[in-house]
Amino acid sequence: LLMDWVYESFAVQPSLDKNEPIAEISVKYSTDADTVMLYPTDDLKTILPLGSDTTITQKEFNLPPFISAPVKQGDVVGTVSISLSGQVIGTVELIADRDLERNNILFTITKIGDFFTSLYFKVVLCLIVVAVIVYLILYFYLLMKRRNSKKIHRDYY
């Protein structure tokens, strides 16, 4: 009797649809597109109540804030964990839906900009400024000393 009720009330159903994108992520260094759609690699079948859909499960995404081009179709970008009533059912990898090439000019400009805003560049720039200031102070000090020395020499003749 209990087994009949279980078979009448529950069925093994997919928690995800492999043919539907479930997330989108931004792409850096590409001029082809700003984002790429992510598809699950598996449909992750589980026992769900009959007549229910995938909205009764909760999805927790583990994705980076962005990805960098080049991106190939099928590259694993992150994961999604599916839970039902607080219990994790399983975790599925998310893959990119298409190829995106890297724009080398955009990449180079961004890296040059990153260098000029880096801590390393700021420290080197500060050291150069300090060295120039010390040099100028010494230069003018020696210049003034030489002028004073010449004035004193003239007075003796």
Side-chain angles (χ1 to χ4, degrees):
L1 186 66
L2 183 62
M3 291 294 281
D4 291 336
W5 175 80
V6 169
Y7 285 117
E8 290 172 2
S9 302
F10 296 93
V12 176
Q13 299 176 20
S15 300
L16 298 170
D17 185 358
K18 293 191 316 187
N19 300 319
E20 290 292 323
I22 62 169
E24 185 177 25
I25 191 165
S26 62
V27 179
K28 289 178 77 173
Y29 315 126
S30 175
T31 53
D32 297 335
D34 293 336
T35 61
V36 67
M37 300 303 292
L38 303 177
Y39 286 80
T41 57
D42 189 22
D43 55 9
L44 191 67
K45 294 186 179 183
T46 187
I47 298 174
L48 296 173
L50 281 176
S52 66
D53 56 6
T54 59
T55 58
I56 67 168
T57 59
Q58 296 83 36
K59 297 172 182 72
E60 182 180 332
F61 294 94
N62 183 13
L63 296 171
F66 61 86
I67 57 174
S68 299
V71 177
K72 299 293 179 203
Q73 183 178 7
D75 283 353
V76 176
V77 176
T79 60
V80 60
S81 296
I82 306 297
S83 25
L84 180 63
S85 301
Q87 293 286 12
V88 176
I89 299 169
T91 302
V92 176
E93 292 180 331
L94 298 175
I95 57 172
D97 71 333
R98 61 182 165 154
D99 294 343
L100 291 176
E101 295 301 320
R102 177 170 65 189
N103 183 324
N104 288 324
I105 295 171
L106 182 61
F107 177 75
T108 303
I109 290 171
T110 303
K111 289 301 175 183
I112 290 171
D114 290 347
F115 171 73
F116 286 117
T117 58
S118 70
L119 179 63
Y120 176 75
F121 178 74
K122 291 175 185 175
V123 168
V124 169
L125 186 64
C126 286
L127 290 174
I128 289 171
V129 167
V130 168
V132 167
I133 291 172
V134 168
Y135 174 78
L136 290 174
I137 289 171
L138 287 174
Y139 175 77
F140 286 117
Y141 173 74
L142 292 174
L143 186 65
M144 296 301 277
K145 190 174 179 182
R146 191 178 312 153
R147 283 188 182 169
N148 289 340
S149 168
K150 287 182 181 180
K151 285 182 182 178
I152 294 172
H153 261 271
R154 288 184 190 156
D155 293 340
Y156 288 121
Y157 292 116

